[in-house]
Amino acid sequence: MKGGRDGPRDGARDAARRTAPRDAAARPDGLREGSRAAVREPPGPRRTGAPGPGPSPAGPGRAAALRFWAVRAALPVSLVLWLLSLRSVPLDDMRDLGLLQVLPPLFWIAAALLTLGFCLALGDRRTRAGWLTGYVLALVALLHATPTLLYPTLRYSWAWKHLAVVDAMIRHGGEVPAADKFDVYNEWPGFFQLNALFLKASGLDSAVGYAAWTPAFANALLLAPLLLLYRSVTRDRRLVWGAVWIFYVCSWVGQDYFAPQTFAFLLFMTVMALLFRQLPSSALPRPDPRRRDGWPPGLLAGAVLLVAAIAVSHPLTPLLLISALVLLSLPRRNRRVTLPLLAAAVVLTALWDATVARDYLTANVSDFVRSVLQPDRNVTSGLTALGDAAPGQVLLSWVDRALSAAVVLMAAAGFALRRWTRRTGLPLLAVAPLPLLALNAYGGEMLFRAYLFALPAVAFLAAALLLPSEARERVPRPLVLSPVLLALLGGMVFGYYGKEAVNRYDPGEVAAARYVTDHAPPGSVIVTLTSDVPGLDMGYERHRRIQLAYQDPEDTRRLVRDPLTGVEPFLSGATGERPAYLVLSRAQDMNVRLTGTLPDDLPQRLRTALDDAPGFTRVFTDEDAVVYRYVPPAPAGGGP
């Protein structure tokens, strides 16, 4: 008998391999290997998180009991602490770091307790899915409902712009004439028309009430497609819920407000979840095991309807969807599922762009061609120049970049070390936005959109790295996992809360904008320093907006040298019947300070100059906003 590597120990190992049951659930992806591709196991009992007959994975006796009750206590206690922390937050003290510098310690204690409780729940097989759902929804509430509960008005200037578009489409019964820079919304009106239909059916006067809750509501809705997507590639519930948590604590780009992008991304994720459910690599059991791989009757029609809704609602998301479907079609085994949906996406997008959106695309074709020829500039366009920004904003920018790099590097390591993930299709989904990132800058936003659309897949690959399969590790180590998740959460709040000094508006600012839109005659010019005036775009088809912070360099230099001389050229054409209006406000001052687009002292110098200038009259004054009406003074000498 040979010794060493051919001895009895190897014989025992071979016998164990021959007699071990082939349980698909023991593999993270729920599959077993065939000769060339993974072969689906027959449907069998699935783990639901309920306690099973064997020994407790948490250990015997008191330790298991402590874990059990800690999981059930941490969730309600953290929610109570979070709500208590919001009772008295000094919002007026926000500066370079936004909400980060005014939220009390109790808020951060609640966030840390919630994270630790989730890690404990993730490692206890007795914890049912309902508790894990509760933890994730509590995280969504803590992150995304906090500004809504704290602020007296809707946050973020672009959300107010989109309210104005809904209002205009209701007033005009559809397409808005003379929309100027808002004309793009006439070409992709799906989101706005859906809200207009809802307002008419419900009898509400405006969407401002529910628009404030869009971030929390949209993120809560995302949970369903995320769960379906992840359960389609693994039966390991720790990986599923860990990936969900990582997605939420790394989604810092803020594309979840009242906007077409939010609506289109939710539809995109739903389409991807339905698609992955049908792929041959799906870990979910088939309703009919005898059916060949492909779409069941009716479901493909539903997916195509979602694609159509995307095509009429947003110009970029259909292209990202097509890119994802093209890459997912590269493996031959996927094509029976992906090609019908890819054909539908291409046809619907082409039809819409060639008909409804044709005028807009034709007018901007030269910009598109120029962008395609500058791939290096497209990739870096989203990286803010930090030279003139406030110190806090420089820190925020570096934290955002570090968080994004960290989760991408963890995903790359997960792809390299967990080889089974390469058969799931998620690596292809993770890189799908890259071709568009090189083709177009999308106004400097493409880098952020690419990160957002890659994040669902990236989060899962990162979770695969952090959470080895249950076959290799009986329970996760909460004291090891929780610091990683807390660090990711810390990076998330930097990016998500760091600009709230600009995004938050006071009632006086809303009242100033309402005064202007109520009193300015059609054709009036409305001048502001930046776009940060909530509600000033109401009736945008009747007025012309000018922002002083984004003019030609020579105009900017003239404004800085002499604010009164610099602002007068933009008021030309004003008359007694059609005066011009100039609005200055707290949020604009803060934007100038944080971004460095104009000198910090310019807003106050401009106020002082206007107070003493002929033709300018203060018509609205509040501690947070002031409105000047400009009528050219009569010529000297009393001529006609």
Side-chain angles (χ1 to χ4, degrees):
M1 181 178 64
K2 295 182 180 180
R5 297 175 62 183
D6 296 325
R9 184 175 300 175
D10 285 343
R13 185 186 300 119
D14 293 338
R17 288 174 179 169
R18 288 192 298 270
T19 58
R22 289 187 174 182
D23 184 6
R27 291 179 51 83
D29 54 0
L31 305 172
R32 61 182 181 184
E33 284 294 326
S35 58
R36 297 186 59 179
V39 179
R40 189 168 19 266
E41 286 284 349
R46 299 173 58 197
R47 292 191 180 96
T48 61
S56 169
R62 182 174 300 177
L66 286 175
R67 180 191 289 267
F68 179 87
W69 290 111
V71 167
R72 283 145 186 81
L75 177 58
V77 170
S78 62
L79 285 173
V80 170
L81 294 178
W82 166 58
L83 293 173
L84 290 175
S85 73
L86 304 183
R87 290 182 301 172
S88 56
V89 178
L91 297 177
D92 290 335
D93 294 342
M94 286 194 290
R95 292 295 183 270
D96 292 10
L97 296 177
L99 271 178
L100 290 174
Q101 61 196 117
V102 297
L103 287 172
L106 202 58
F107 177 90
W108 307 111
I109 293 173
L113 180 61
L114 186 69
T115 303
L116 180 58
F118 173 77
C119 293
L120 290 171
L122 204 61
D124 191 348
R125 292 181 183 176
R126 297 170 300 172
T127 304
R128 296 184 180 274
W131 281 97
L132 293 168
T133 303
Y135 270 101
V136 171
L137 292 179
L139 175 69
V140 169
L142 183 142
L143 290 174
H144 302 288
T146 292
T148 304
L149 293 173
L150 287 177
Y151 301 166
T153 63
L154 175 66
R155 67 190 280 267
Y156 197 44
S157 62
W158 281 94
W160 284 94
K161 291 178 187 292
H162 296 150
L163 289 178
V165 176
V166 174
D167 174 77
M169 288 189 175
I170 291 176
R171 286 188 284 103
H172 290 278
E175 183 175 347
V176 182
D180 195 24
K181 295 180 180 179
F182 285 73
D183 188 54
V184 64
Y185 300 125
N186 286 332
E187 315 300 331
W188 286 274
F191 169 79
F192 304 104
Q193 291 290 1
L194 182 63
N195 279 276
L197 180 63
F198 175 77
L199 290 176
K200 292 178 182 178
S202 64
L204 296 174
D205 294 330
S206 171
V208 66
Y210 65 83
W213 291 97
T214 299
F217 186 63
N219 279 283
L221 288 180
L222 267 176
L223 179 59
L226 284 172
L227 287 175
L228 180 56
L229 175 67
Y230 296 152
R231 286 172 176 169
S232 297
V233 297
T234 182
R235 295 186 183 185
D236 187 338
R237 70 166 195 160
R238 295 187 312 150
L239 275 179
V240 169
W241 289 101
V244 166
W245 190 275
I246 291 174
F247 172 84
Y248 283 118
V249 297
C250 292
S251 183
W252 63 268
V253 295
Q255 293 294 330
D256 53 12
Y257 61 99
F258 185 73
Q261 175 67 97
T262 303
F263 176 67
F265 181 68
L266 179 60
L267 297 181
F268 172 89
M269 287 304 304
T270 304
V271 171
M272 286 295 106
L274 295 176
L275 175 73
F276 271 73
R277 171 68 179 85
Q278 306 305 319
L279 291 179
S281 59
S282 175
L284 292 174
R286 299 283 185 185
D288 183 3
R290 296 169 297 177
R291 184 178 57 81
R292 297 178 65 187
D293 292 332
W295 292 91
L299 190 57
L300 178 59
V304 171
L305 185 63
L306 295 177
V307 173
I310 293 174
V312 305
S313 299
H314 197 251
L316 177 63
T317 306
L319 304 180
L320 287 162
L321 176 63
I322 291 172
S323 180
L325 292 172
V326 168
L327 289 184
L328 288 170
S329 299
L330 293 180
R332 181 175 298 178
R333 63 180 181 274
N334 292 346
R335 293 174 187 171
R336 185 184 295 272
V337 175
T338 58
L339 289 182
L341 201 58
L342 174 60
V346 170
V347 170
L348 291 171
T349 302
L351 282 176
W352 188 264
D353 291 351
T355 54
V356 178
R358 178 181 178 179
D359 292 341
Y360 179 85
L361 294 175
T362 302
N364 292 277
V365 66
S366 60
D367 293 335
F368 300 148
V369 173
R370 189 181 308 113
S371 183
V372 169
L373 299 176
Q374 299 174 330
D376 55 337
R377 183 173 298 180
N378 296 334
V379 172
T380 60
S381 62
L383 299 177
T384 306
L386 303 177
D388 297 324
Q393 294 299 297
V394 175
L395 174 63
L396 291 176
S397 182
W398 283 111
V399 171
D400 295 343
R401 297 175 187 184
L403 173 63
S404 304
V407 70
V408 169
L409 289 175
M410 286 192 296
F415 173 79
L417 298 177
R418 312 291 185 236
R419 290 183 296 176
W420 64 269
T421 61
R422 304 172 193 179
R423 298 187 299 273
T424 64
L426 287 178
L428 295 173
L429 186 61
V431 300
L434 296 183
L436 272 76
L437 177 60
L439 292 177
N440 197 288
Y442 201 68
E445 288 279 320
M446 184 61 79
L447 184 62
F448 305 120
R449 306 301 173 91
Y451 175 81
L452 174 66
F453 279 80
L455 185 57
V458 166
F460 183 88
L461 295 174
L465 173 70
L466 296 175
L467 294 166
S469 68
E470 291 179 316
R472 299 183 180 182
E473 182 186 17
R474 297 187 63 187
V475 295
R477 303 181 180 92
L479 295 180
V480 175
L481 180 62
S482 55
V484 177
L485 297 186
L486 278 173
L488 295 177
L489 177 60
M492 161 70 181
V493 294
F494 265 85
Y496 199 75
Y497 288 162
K499 299 183 184 299
E500 289 305 296
V502 175
N503 294 337
R504 188 261 303 191
Y505 301 116
D506 289 320
E509 296 172 272
V510 178
R514 184 174 296 127
Y515 177 90
V516 174
T517 56
D518 288 346
H519 291 83
S524 297
V525 175
I526 302 174
V527 179
T528 59
L529 286 174
T530 70
S531 63
D532 304 288
V533 184
L536 197 58
D537 291 305
M538 285 293 178
Y540 59 85
E541 76 278 17
R542 299 194 295 257
H543 308 125
R544 185 163 62 96
R545 283 283 306 275
I546 296 176
Q547 297 176 33
L548 298 177
Y550 307 104
Q551 300 300 322
D552 293 337
E554 182 56 38
D555 293 331
T556 301
R557 285 191 289 269
R558 183 169 54 247
L559 180 68
V560 171
R561 283 195 305 267
D562 185 344
L564 185 59
T565 302
V567 78
E568 284 179 344
F570 299 103
L571 305 176
S572 61
T575 64
E577 294 77 21
R578 195 174 60 190
Y581 291 83
L582 198 149
V583 185
L584 302 176
S585 62
R586 180 205 59 82
Q588 295 183 82
D589 297 350
M590 190 61 67
N591 187 312
V592 167
R593 172 183 173 179
L594 297 186
T595 61
T597 53
L598 293 170
D600 289 359
D601 64 343
L602 180 64
Q604 184 56 50
R605 289 169 54 209
L606 183 57
R607 284 182 175 87
T608 302
L610 296 179
D611 283 336
D612 299 328
F616 290 91
T617 305
R618 280 200 184 204
V619 293
F620 180 94
T621 302
D622 181 87
E623 63 179 351
D624 295 309
V626 59
V627 177
Y628 296 90
R629 183 180 63 215
Y630 174 72
V631 177

